[in-house]
Amino acid sequence: MGADRHGGLHGWDFEGFHSGGDTELWKRLGSHVVTIPGNDGAEVSGTRFTVWAPNAREVRLVGEFNGWNADAHPMELIPGSGVWGLFVPGVGAGAVYKYKIHGADGRWVDKADPMARFAQGIPDTASIVWESSYQWGDDAWLAKRAASHPHAEPMSIYEVHLGGWRPGKTYRELADELVEYVTWQGYTHVEFLPLAQHPYAPSWGYQVTGYYAPMSNFGTPDEFRLLVDRLHQAGIGVIMDWVPGHFPKDDWALGRFDGTALYEHSDPRQGEQPDWGTYVFNFGRNEVKSFLVSNALYWIKEFHIDGLRVDAVASMLYLDYSRGDDWVPNAYGGRENLEAVDFLRYVNKHLYEREPGCMIIAEESTSWPGVTKPVHHGGLGFGFKWNMGWMNDTLSYLREEPINRQYHHNKMTFAMMYAFSENFVLPISHDEVVHGKGSMINKIPGDDWQKFATLRAYYSFMWSFPGKQLVFMGNEFGQRKEFDEHAGLEWWVSELWGHRGLQLLFRRLNELYREHPTLWELDSDPQGFRWINADDAGGNVFTFLRFDEQGNALACAVNFSPVPRSDYLVGLPHSGRWAEVLNTDAEEFHGSGQWGNQGEVQAHQVPTHGFEHSAEITVPPLAAVWLTWDRSSVVEGDAGLQ
């Protein structure tokens, strides 16, 4: 009983792949278990293998099923496609394989499948035939996502290095433990550092070798689906880091795939990233565009990922990024990578059209204009951008002794000069607690009481500032050491004084954040924020208001001085009762419990700070206070002021 050696591929049209328009490439290339008609009419089951290697002299399929015999399964070039194909009867899911490629450079190299949907775990590097049988249970979540408006909804993100959260845990175990913890803490989303297959653990997933394969050291692709599904069923969104800017030089992976620079630029001034010792994708090559756009859609469609955080966007946008004088200008003599710009616009536009409610987030560290403007308005088309300026400025302020902070006051207020120019995420990410930067708690001067109090005040400032929030795991309980992916988090300290109080504060911040639309509904609208007093540098105090669409107000006062501020006058938009819903100096958060407002303050018609009403409040030392307006307490005739 014979069968077509290519599993019917001769009739396939690869025009979309070659034009850059194939956005579901995983359905055509790679390994797929199929059943096809045999020569005698009977059906034949096996696996169809296809790989793009247009400049290869020969391609052979090797694997456990043929004893890694390079002569057993030669592949054939499908005319006019650059794609090599072969159908192997009797080979099914779980088969381990590679492509042995005789490249244009004359070398024979065993290559992993660029389109493999499963791979061997570290240190092995072969690909595995995979077919999913997972039955999803998150239909309600997906329907809600499709109707969502992320800019006007709460988003507090818990950033997770999956291998270091609790080392040794599998996707299946984390589907219980991580979901339980994130639910208890109250975050709306988790963000996973890259979970595409990568062989070098210290890269944290940022050097990808298998763009279509979930990291196999934690389990199978369907077990990863289980983790995502369980998060969704618990009401938690899932964001994953995506790395389309560069890839490692491992011989067995994408680099020089068919003996030529196939996925990367051939000119090292364009095709290599000196900072990381990696190759850079050739964004102008249509097949590479198909590969990458399909990959972005693949994670959203096949794994129900809600958002992609695109790593190192600046390295893609600028031709001279980290290259000194050794770079190639664009066609107009400029430093902008026009091909990368076109690619980013293409992928963003396509994903937002195909998957309503998804989020594409840029880690972009420069002042490139319009990162989050729609493509049809001349922007790059991202949904959100990490606010690296806010992060750098505020951390610089925290490092100062309190007595010196008055001279750096503008570092905490400057972000409001551009806060609504993009849709921002405020990140305190993994990058801030590694490589000699020290943990968050050790950035802050003073004794432990001052360190923890300052952190509580800072995170409260962050949670009440316009923009969404992201915090790296371990920061929520004040891990003292720099993060070490091998050792994992120091969970034992979360039971100690100070650490536990901080962890409980995060839980309360997330609870209040979800409850109060004032903190997120108008994040991207200047009407959602107003300073009360941005200029009290001598007092190290910042006071401001957040509003929702209905005009409800929440007043925030943050004191970065060790001196309590009693009878502190603040202007307010309405008279009546303002309830104290947060005091970070409370005993439950391991504060002193000595300073506060006994649960509320009364605002009277005494004009201050440009408002017609005001109240005297107490702001504890190194602490934050949030006050919410009780609309029902307004005196007759008070229309308020916003």
Side-chain angles (χ1 to χ4, degrees), residues 515-575:
E515 287 177 359
H516 293 279
T518 49
L519 293 171
W520 41 262
E521 196 169 61
L522 295 176
D523 265 334
S524 300
D525 187 332
Q527 295 300 311
F529 178 90
R530 182 170 173 180
W531 286 112
I532 297 173
N533 185 357
D535 300 319
D536 186 7
N540 295 1
V541 178
F542 305 84
T543 51
F544 52 91
L545 288 155
R546 298 298 308 274
F547 298 96
D548 65 15
E549 290 180 345
Q550 287 71 45
N552 295 308
L554 185 145
C556 307
V558 190
N559 178 12
F560 285 105
S561 161
V563 178
R565 305 299 177 190
S566 301
D567 303 324
Y568 192 80
L569 191 65
V570 292
L572 293 170
H574 306 291
S575 66

Side-chain angles (χ1 to χ4, degrees), residues 337-353:
N337 188 334
L338 303 179
E339 294 171 340
V341 170
D342 286 344
F343 162 73
L344 289 170
R345 287 173 171 164
Y346 176 32
V347 69
N348 286 330
K349 185 172 185 292
H350 185 75
L351 293 179
Y352 278 110
E353 288 175 350

Side-chain angles (χ1 to χ4, degrees), residues 395 398-400 405 428 431-434 436-445 451:
L395 291 186
L398 280 195
R399 291 186 181 96
E400 296 292 337
R405 287 176 181 158
I428 298 298
D431 282 328
E432 307 319 310
V433 294
V434 294
K437 293 183 180 179
S439 64
M440 282 292 291
I441 195 166
N442 286 328
K443 297 181 194 299
I444 299 168
K451 288 176 183 288

